[in-house]
Amino acid sequence: MTSNETRWDQFVEEVANEGTVWTIEKSGEYVTSNNRFGTKCFPWWSSRARVLKQLETVPAYSGYQQIGFEWHVFLEEWVPHLRRARCLLGINYASHENVGFDLPIQEVIEAVSQTRV
């Protein structure tokens, strides 16, 4: 299993068990980036510790802060906007290169929903 696959499995398990997803913001602005195919991606992490580590690792994230959302808030408030923006979800990015999976929203929702306890 690759480290990306491990991070994906951890994302699903942690979000399903903890019920929270994390992203970063600075003054009400959120980070997006384009992947190598030019598709807009919005990064999400499955734990506060993961996002804090990434904030320390990526110089471009200087000044950003972590912010968590309960899973139901993510589904109700974030998903409609992310779908309209045609974003993929960047899952548990790691290292200074922000390596991770960029996945369709529905795939992430289904995986977490099937794993929820």
Side-chain angles (χ1 to χ4, degrees):
M1 185 177 292
T2 68
S3 60
N4 278 349
E5 291 168 328
T6 300
R7 279 196 299 277
W8 166 239
D9 290 342
Q10 290 168 338
F11 180 92
V12 171
E13 184 176 322
E14 290 171 354
V15 172
N17 291 331
E18 300 299 323
T20 305
V21 290
W22 297 84
T23 193
I24 58 175
E25 65 92 21
K26 177 167 59 174
S27 303
E29 298 291 323
Y30 296 91
V31 169
T32 60
S33 61
N34 290 335
N35 67 13
R36 66 179 184 229
F37 304 109
T39 305
K40 186 186 286 186
C41 301
F42 197 116
W44 294 90
W45 290 269
S46 57
S47 73
R48 183 173 184 264
R50 289 179 190 281
V51 74
L52 288 174
K53 183 174 182 182
Q54 201 61 6
L55 286 170
E56 294 171 1
T57 304
V58 179
Y61 290 167
S62 177
Y64 282 84
Q65 297 179 26
Q66 82 283 353
I67 184 167
F69 297 95
E70 292 182 9
W71 182 244
H72 73 90
V73 172
F74 173 77
L75 294 175
E76 295 166 12
E77 297 180 17
W78 280 93
V79 167
H81 297 290
L82 293 168
R83 283 188 170 138
R84 279 194 295 278
R86 299 176 192 242
C87 285
L88 295 176
L89 302 184
I91 303 300
N92 278 352
Y93 285 173
S95 83
H96 65 278
E97 293 107 5
N98 267 337
V99 197
F101 277 126
D102 300 322
L103 296 171
I105 294 166
Q106 194 59 39
E107 186 173 335
V108 175
I109 292 170
E110 288 173 6
V112 171
S113 296
Q114 291 172 2
T115 307
R116 283 195 66 125
V117 288

